[in-house]
Amino acid sequence: MTFEEIYKVYWPKVYRQCMGYMNDPDTAKDIAQDTFIKVWQHLPKFRNESSIGTWIFRISVNSCLRQIGKDNKMPKSELPNEIFEEILVNDEPKVEFLYRCISELPEVERIIISLELEELKQKEIAKIVGLSESNVRVRIHRIKEKLTKKFQQHGR
């Protein structure tokens, strides 16, 4: 893949992932751009030990965590798949609320659910976060339950 193809495929996904962390469009855009600068700089060194997407998402996660560290603050601390899909496709206010809820999750949970929303395979998510695939599966279920409760509490 050329850099242009990589950018075209992964920009929207990386931006959404950054929004999950930062919950601020300008900051998310800046971090996503920073991610692709790093991808551009290091693409010749990419060793294909994982998929290109896994590598890019790891760069993105690290960039978000570095920004959170620079800010010296953390963002405030089972949705059935059909509901997730409906929210993400049809309802902008619910999407914003979803990302606000995600930004309140602990760091590892934010990473896991952001990657799940990008439809990464659970095996790839496990590699990125350093957990077993079965542990990732259980955590995704629990995260979806937490998010469902938040939606129900806010009548969404």
Side-chain angles (χ1 to χ4, degrees):
M1 275 183 123
T2 67
F3 177 78
E4 290 77 19
E5 292 169 328
I6 291 168
Y7 184 86
K8 201 176 284 187
V9 169
Y10 289 100
W11 170 263
K13 297 175 182 187
V14 167
Y15 175 74
R16 285 190 301 268
Q17 182 184 36
C18 293
M19 274 298 291
Y21 277 93
M22 308 317 293
N23 201 27
D24 173 60
D26 292 333
T27 304
K29 193 179 288 185
D30 289 345
I31 294 171
Q33 190 63 40
D34 181 54
T35 297
F36 282 97
I37 289 169
K38 289 176 181 144
V39 169
W40 169 259
Q41 292 170 337
H42 299 286
L43 191 57
K45 299 175 193 168
F46 177 64
R47 297 183 307 250
N48 288 313
E49 291 174 358
S50 63
S51 76
I52 189 88
T54 300
W55 180 64
I56 291 169
F57 286 126
R58 189 70 243 172
I59 293 170
S60 175
V61 166
N62 288 340
S63 295
C64 288
L65 295 176
R66 266 193 301 283
Q67 183 62 43
I68 290 168
K70 283 180 190 172
D71 292 345
N72 201 20
K73 65 176 193 263
M74 291 293 287
K76 304 172 197 118
S77 247
E78 166 172 338
L79 272 178
N81 288 333
E82 306 82 55
I83 292 175
F84 255 134
E85 290 167 15
E86 180 184 328
I87 287 170
L88 293 172
V89 172
N90 297 323
D91 197 335
E92 190 64 30
K94 285 186 180 178
V95 170
E96 290 176 16
F97 181 72
L98 173 64
Y99 280 110
R100 235 187 347 263
C101 292
I102 289 171
S103 74
E104 295 171 359
L105 294 171
E107 175 187 321
V108 173
E109 291 181 3
R110 283 196 314 266
I111 294 169
I112 291 171
I113 200 64
S114 294
L115 296 173
E116 172 75 5
L117 287 171
E118 293 305 329
E119 299 177 357
L120 236 62
K121 293 184 174 141
Q122 291 178 354
K123 183 176 184 176
E124 293 294 312
I125 296 171
K127 283 182 190 175
I128 290 170
V129 296
L131 298 170
S132 70
E133 200 173 334
S134 60
N135 192 314
V136 166
R137 206 172 3 266
V138 168
R139 287 187 182 220
I140 288 170
H141 178 75
R142 289 181 183 158
I143 294 165
K144 287 180 178 182
E145 286 178 340
K146 280 184 187 180
L147 293 173
T148 298
K149 285 178 187 172
K150 285 188 183 252
F151 269 75
Q152 290 168 344
Q153 289 170 349
H154 290 86
R156 301 211 179 218

